[in-house]
Amino acid sequence: MMTNKEALSLKWTEMDEEENTERQMQIAMLCQRLAKMKRLFNDDDTDYINQAISSNSSDTCWTFLSNLEKKGNPESDPSLLTKLIDSYTQVFFSMPLGKYSQNESYAKMLVRFAELKAIQDLNDAQSSFDIARSHCKDFAFVHIAYAQFKLLQGKGKTLEPFTLAV
């Protein structure tokens, strides 16, 4: 037979277990909501990039990509950096270099893509800048951004985005 003290202790233990179970259920529900919000956020971006690409307008794509970047800092947010690089890659895949290289917005995208690549890999960034310089020769900002990249490359500094007039 249990003493009053043991019975009271058992009752407290049961109440603690019920509270823990309730808390675990609340946490699980919050995690589900968060996952749903993340899916909506990501799906929304996917829909918009597809719409921008289907417009066949480099201006529309540049605006979308610029707005996407405003959602965070790609230098401190690896998932945003990956999303941006993937989005730029999608645009370049759908909008051939030969057809759009004389377009200012397209040249801006090439430069920003190279700057983003510099965060990940300097060799990839060099290749991207080489493409921009060889195909968009008429835009001074392409050459200025490349010069900035070369200056900072050996100093271990991060490449600040070249300010482009939109």
Side-chain angles (χ1 to χ4, degrees), residues 67-136:
N67 288 335
L68 179 61
E69 189 165 344
K70 291 176 186 173
K71 291 184 177 184
N73 180 356
E75 289 183 33
S76 61
D77 184 350
S79 64
L80 177 60
L81 177 62
T82 300
K83 182 180 226 165
L84 284 164
I85 288 175
D86 289 348
S87 295
Y88 277 98
T89 303
Q90 259 186 286
V91 168
F92 296 142
F93 182 77
S94 299
M95 300 176 81
L97 185 60
K99 182 176 179 184
Y100 291 93
S101 63
Q102 298 307 309
N103 180 287
E104 184 178 352
S105 292
Y106 195 85
K108 289 177 184 178
M109 287 188 288
L110 288 171
V111 167
R112 188 59 189 139
F113 179 72
E115 292 170 341
L116 291 169
K117 291 300 279 183
I119 297 169
Q120 284 185 329
D121 184 294
L122 292 176
N123 291 329
D124 285 349
Q126 177 68 51
S127 298
S128 297
F129 271 115
D130 289 345
I131 291 169
R133 287 176 41 236
S134 67
H135 288 85
C136 302

Side-chain angles (χ1 to χ4, degrees), residues 1-63:
M1 187 150 181
M2 275 195 254
T3 65
N4 283 342
K5 188 176 181 180
E6 290 173 334
L8 188 57
S9 176
L10 181 61
K11 186 70 171 168
W12 280 105
T13 303
E14 289 172 0
M15 287 174 46
D16 285 345
E17 287 176 6
E18 288 175 17
E19 286 179 15
N20 282 339
T21 302
E22 189 174 319
R23 282 188 197 134
Q24 289 173 342
M25 288 174 54
Q26 288 174 341
I27 290 171
M29 286 175 33
L30 288 172
C31 288
Q32 287 175 341
R33 285 184 190 163
L34 182 60
K36 183 178 180 182
M37 289 170 58
K38 283 182 178 179
R39 276 194 308 276
L40 288 173
F41 174 77
N42 290 334
D43 290 345
D44 190 41
D45 288 338
T46 302
D47 290 343
Y48 285 128
I49 188 64
N50 289 336
Q51 286 176 354
I53 290 170
S54 68
S55 74
N56 286 324
S57 165
S58 56
D59 295 332
T60 301
C61 291
W62 171 243
T63 300

